Amino acid sequence: MKSIHSRLSLTALAAACLVFAGCASSPTVTPALEQARARVQAAEIDPAAVKYASLDVKRAGDALRRAEALSAQRESPADIDAAAHVADSQARTAQALGRAATDEEAIRTAEADRERARADANAQRAQSAQAQALDARQAASQAQAQAQQAREQAALAQGDAAQAQAQASALQAELQDLQARQTDRGMLVTLGDVLFESGRAEVKPAAQASIGKLAQYLRQHPDRRVLIEGFTDSVGGDQANLSLSQRRSQAVAAALQAQGIEPSRVAIRGYGEAFPVASNATATDRALNRRVEVYISRDDQPVRSRS
């Protein structure tokens, strides 16, 4: 800017000298010269022209001073205009170069901004991909751990199932004399018509051996519970048969208690002539229906009732 002010001062000084010198004779001023003056002054204060085309600004000032000198000497208007046109053209060129350079710098800045934006976007995508990869690895690790846990649980379940089967087989072997069989409600022991006289609920003395074996088993397995269910044939009324089946269940429960089985471990239920196992059409079939079924629990929980 100092050089610009210097040139402006020189230009002004030259113009002042011409004015003083022209007291005797006025300089020749043409429209082209006035236009050149304005153009050069505009170029000299244009930041872009000064920054990017300072040499062209200087040349424009030099050309203007030559035109001013010709004007002071009252040279022909054609010579003055020629020099003024040079100054004007140099000033235009300086401003055009300044604008072009400014535009190029703006383009470079915009491209740099776009590159930074692309780099930031790529970095974000890379960071996101890394985070997703980490999540995937963690999910895979968790899935592996869950699979291992599932395998261990399956192995335990298989072991429990094998143990339960072994226990069931052992229980069935222990009750083999009573022809026990496994059901979904527990081990079932069916005590047939040998227990009772027809139409009566007192346990026969000959049946004490079967009840004794059942009691012995229950004493050896104090965690087991029993559900005693009584049934009748179709002879007699419904209410009478229901009452008879209940008294028969109670009689077996009392016989077990007499052999040391706690009452809290024994539950009873009478169903009368419901749930027959034979048709009741013959004496043999009716004998099969006059029965007591004893369900032995799998654990210390009560036996599930009939659904």
Side-chain angles (χ1 to χ4, degrees):
M1 294 300 292
K2 183 177 181 181
S3 60
I4 294 173
H5 292 312
S6 299
R7 289 195 293 274
L8 287 172
S9 300
L10 290 174
T11 303
L13 180 60
C17 291
L18 291 173
V19 170
F20 288 124
C23 291
S25 59
S26 298
T28 301
V29 179
T30 65
L33 177 58
E34 292 179 345
Q35 181 176 339
R37 287 173 181 170
R39 185 72 65 186
V40 172
Q41 288 178 357
E44 288 176 339
I45 64 174
D46 186 339
V50 173
K51 180 178 180 180
Y52 296 108
S54 58
L55 182 59
D56 293 278
V57 173
K58 181 180 180 303
R59 289 172 179 170
D62 292 343
L64 179 61
R65 283 188 289 276
R66 285 193 295 273
E68 295 285 5
L70 292 173
S71 173
Q73 296 169 5
R74 298 180 62 81
E75 297 291 339
S76 67
D79 292 339
I80 295 171
D81 287 347
H85 284 313
V86 172
D88 185 83
S89 178
Q90 290 287 351
R92 288 177 181 274
T93 299
Q95 288 186 301
L97 291 174
R99 288 192 297 271
T102 300
D103 292 342
E104 289 179 358
E105 184 176 9
I107 292 172
R108 287 194 298 271
T109 301
E111 289 179 348
D113 290 342
R114 285 195 295 272
E115 287 298 326
R116 283 193 295 271
R118 281 195 291 268
D120 291 342
N122 290 335
Q124 290 178 354
R125 284 194 292 270
Q127 185 176 3
S128 177
Q130 290 176 350
Q132 290 176 353
L134 178 59
D135 290 342
R137 288 194 295 269
Q138 291 176 344
S141 177
Q142 184 178 4
Q144 290 177 350
Q146 291 175 346
Q148 179 62 28
Q149 184 179 7
R151 287 192 293 269
E152 292 175 355
Q153 291 176 347
L156 289 175
Q158 290 176 350
D160 291 343
Q163 182 179 5
Q165 182 62 38
Q167 290 177 347
S169 299
L171 295 178
Q172 192 165 358
E174 292 179 23
L175 295 173
Q176 186 174 4
D177 292 343
L178 297 177
Q179 297 181 346
R181 62 184 179 88
Q182 189 66 36
T183 71
D184 60 348
R185 297 171 63 203
M187 192 72 67
L188 170 61
V189 175
T190 300
L191 302 177
D193 192 50
V194 296
L195 288 177
F196 307 100
E197 296 288 348
S198 178
R200 301 188 64 83
E202 296 81 12
V203 176
K204 292 180 180 180
Q208 293 296 331
S210 296
I211 295 177
K213 291 178 182 179
L214 180 59
Q216 181 181 1
Y217 170 82
L218 293 175
R219 286 193 297 271
Q220 292 173 348
H221 300 277
D223 59 327
R224 306 288 170 160
R225 297 188 182 192
V226 294
L227 173 61
I228 303 173
E229 298 178 339
F231 302 90
T232 68
D233 56 25
S234 60
V235 176
D238 292 342
Q239 283 300 118
N241 284 336
L242 180 61
S243 176
L244 178 60
S245 67
Q246 290 172 340
R247 293 199 309 276
R248 285 178 172 176
S249 297
Q250 182 60 53
V252 175
L256 289 175
Q257 293 168 17
Q259 299 202 34
I261 306 304
E262 297 87 345
S264 61
R265 298 173 59 192
V266 181
I268 64 171
R269 186 72 183 270
Y271 289 99
E273 60 189 79
F275 304 105
V277 295
S279 66
N280 284 310
T282 65
T284 302
D285 289 342
R286 288 191 294 274
L288 293 175
N289 289 329
R290 294 192 299 270
R291 69 195 189 280
V292 171
E293 295 181 353
V294 181
Y295 286 89
I296 304 172
S297 69
R298 298 187 180 90
D299 48 30
D300 60 351
Q301 297 301 311
V303 176
R304 176 170 54 86
S305 299
R306 291 176 181 263
S307 57

